[in-house]
Amino acid sequence: MAGEQIQVLNALDVAKTQWYHFTAIVVAGMGFFTDAYDLFSISLVTKLLGRLYYTVPNAAKPGTLPPNVAAAVNGVALCGTLAGQLFFGWLGDKMGRKRVYGMTLMLMIVCSLASGLSFGKEAKGVMATLCFFRFWLGFGIGGDYPLSATIMSEYANKKTRGAFVAAVFAMQGFGNLTGGIFALIVSAAFKARYSAPSYESNKTASLVPQADYVWRIILMFGSIPALLTYYWRMKMPETARYTALVAKNAKQAANDMAKVLQVDLVEEQEKVEKFTGRRNNEFGLFSRQFLKRHGLHLLGTTTTWFLLDIAFYSQNLFQKDIFSAIGWLPKAQEMSALEEVYRVARAQTLIALCGTVPGYWFTVAFIDVIGRFAIQLMGFAMMTIFMFALAIPYDHWTHHHLGFVIMYALTFFFANFGPNATTFVVPAEIFPARLRSTCHGISSAAGKAGAIVGAFGFLYLAQSKDPTKTDAGYPTGIGVKDSLMILGGVSILGFFFTFLVPESKGKSLEEMSGENEDEGEEAAQYDSRTVPV
C-alpha cells in the first residue's frame, strides 16, 4: 500500500496546466530542436563534401566520401551522443539536473559553430577536424536526452505528464524540418547567385568554389536556437523531486515550487527524511533489490530503444540514398553540386513535413489517452507492416515513386506516433529519483548503440548486389530491398520486447518507482504489470 506523499510533490502531481509547464517545454524542447538539427543536418551535406574534397579530375562520376570517411562523418556524433548520455545521465543524479543542464547546452553551441569552421589544407585535415568537433557536439547532445526528459517529467502533473515529455521530444520533428528548409534556402540562394551546369556537361564548372560555404553555414546554424534558450535554461529552478528526494532539502524544494506554482507550500523536512530513509529508497543501481524491482523494466527500455533506433537511424541518416535508388533523385552526374544539395534537402523536408512532424504530435495528443504501452505496441506493429510492404514488392516501387514516398512517410509517421516517442518518455517515469537520470541515460545510450549499428551497417548493407552499381569504394551489399526486410524483422523484435515495459499513464512518479511504499512492504507486491487493467 502506498504511503503518504510529500506535499510539494503532491502539489506538482495535481497542479493544473500552467504557464510554467509551457515554458519548461519550450526551454527543454529547444535543446531537442538543436539536437535533431545537428544530428540530421550532416546527411544533407555529405554528398557535397564528397564532391568538394574527393572529386577525381575528369572522372565519370563526381566524388563521394570514401567508406571509412563517410562512416566517421555520419557516425562520430552518434558515438559522442552515446558517451554523453551515460556520463551526463550519471552526473545529473549526482550534481543535480539544473547544474548539468547548462554544461550540455554550452557544449552544443560551441561545437556546432566549430563544426562549420573545420579547417585544413587537404581533405584529411578538414574531415579530421569536422569529426573531432562533431564528436563533442554529440557528447553535449547526449546529455540533453536524460536531463530534458527527467526535468520535464519531474515538473509535470501526473494527468498530462506523458504529453509534456513527448512535446519536448517532438521538437525533434521541427529540428528535422528546419534543417531541410534552411538547406533549401541556402542552396537555392547560392544556386541563384552562382549558376553552374551539371557534372556531365562541365565537370569543373559544376562545382563552384563558393559551395564550400554552403555546408559550413548549414552546420553552424544549429547553434542559434540553443544560444537563444541558454539564459532561460539557467533561470529554471532545480526540480523539487531532486531537491527533496536526492538532496533531501525540504525547505529549498518548497520555496522553489511555491514560486513556480504560485501557492503556499509547507516545509516538511521530517517527512522528507522519513521518506528518503526507508530501506526501499536506499538501494543502488548495482544492487539485487534494483534488479528485483526494476531489472526487467531497464531491460525493456534498453532493448526497445536499441531496436527502434536500428530501424529509425538506418533510414533517416541515409534516406537520400534510398531516394536515389528508386530514381526520385537524378543521378549525381546529371546535377551540379548545389542542385544536388537542393534536391536532397527537398526530399528530407517532404518526409519531415508529411511523416515526421505529424507523428510526434499525434503522440502528444494521445499518449495520456490510450497510454504509452498501446502506442509503442501499435507503432512497432505498423513499422513492421510498412517495411515489409516496401521491401516485398520493391521492384514495383522503383517504377512508382510517389507510392514509395507515401509508404516511406507512413513508416516514419508510425515510428514517431509510436516507439520513437514512447521510448523517450517511459524511462523518465518508472525509476527512482536518485537513479532516474542515470537509467534514462543507459536506456538512451542503448538507443544510440542501435543507431550506430543502423547507420554504419546500412552504409554497407544497402549497397547493390551488382558490383558495377555500388558506390565508389564500397563492397557489394544485399541491396535496399533485403535491408528493408531486415529492418522489418528488427521491428518485430521491438514489438515483443515492449511487453517488458510497464504502463505509467495517470500514476505519480513515486507510485511507479515504488518510492512511496510503506516501510516493510515487500518488493514482490510492487505492481510491474505492463498491460493496463
Side-chain angles (χ1 to χ4, degrees), residues 197-391:
S198 66
Y199 184 83
E200 62 186 5
S201 299
N202 189 323
K203 293 179 174 57
T204 304
S206 71
L207 178 62
V208 295
Q210 292 81 3
D212 191 55
Y213 294 116
V214 171
W215 70 271
R216 296 176 186 275
I217 292 170
I218 291 171
L219 294 185
M220 292 172 73
F221 181 77
S223 64
I224 295 175
L227 193 60
L228 293 174
T229 54
Y230 183 79
Y231 170 78
W232 296 106
R233 191 172 276 201
M234 292 297 92
K235 290 279 286 182
M236 289 177 73
E238 182 58 86
T239 71
R241 285 183 160 88
Y242 180 85
T243 306
L245 301 181
V246 184
K248 302 178 184 179
N249 187 337
K251 183 178 180 180
Q252 188 65 50
N255 288 343
D256 287 344
M257 291 307 105
K259 293 175 185 176
V260 169
L261 296 170
Q262 297 181 332
V263 296
D264 293 326
L265 293 170
V266 179
E267 173 192 334
E268 299 179 300
Q269 187 63 41
E270 187 176 331
K271 187 183 284 188
V272 166
E273 289 176 358
K274 181 182 177 182
F275 194 96
T276 55
R278 296 169 180 164
R279 281 184 303 146
N280 59 354
N281 287 337
E282 293 179 344
F283 60 83
L285 181 65
F286 301 105
S287 66
R288 183 178 296 177
Q289 198 168 356
F290 177 86
L291 187 65
K292 189 174 183 179
R293 279 181 173 271
H294 299 293
L296 285 178
H297 299 159
L298 188 59
L299 177 63
T301 58
T302 52
T303 51
T304 52
W305 208 335
F306 174 78
L307 294 164
L308 176 275
D309 273 7
I310 290 176
F312 190 79
Y313 275 79
S314 63
Q315 292 184 87
N316 219 329
L317 281 173
F318 301 101
Q319 60 187 232
K320 62 184 185 301
D321 297 312
I322 292 175
F323 285 123
S324 295
I326 64 163
W328 207 59
L329 292 173
K331 294 179 180 177
Q333 57 268 34
E334 296 173 8
M335 298 181 284
S336 68
L338 293 173
E339 177 67 21
E340 189 171 37
V341 175
Y342 181 86
R343 295 291 190 101
V344 169
R346 186 178 66 176
Q348 179 157 316
T349 303
L350 285 170
I351 287 295
L353 195 60
C354 299
T356 306
V357 173
Y360 282 120
W361 292 100
F362 264 73
T363 301
V364 173
F366 291 106
I367 191 168
D368 288 312
V369 178
I370 61 177
R372 292 79 164 136
F373 179 82
I375 288 177
Q376 185 162 310
L377 213 59
M378 175 200 67
F380 272 125
M382 297 306 289
M383 285 173 67
T384 303
I385 291 168
F386 282 113
M387 282 181 184
F388 285 140
L390 285 170

Side-chain angles (χ1 to χ4, degrees), residues 31-41 141 171-176:
F32 267 89
F33 177 98
T34 306
D35 296 350
Y37 183 96
D38 288 332
L39 284 178
F40 296 124
S41 61
I141 287 172
M171 294 299 286
Q172 276 199 340
F174 289 122
N176 280 346

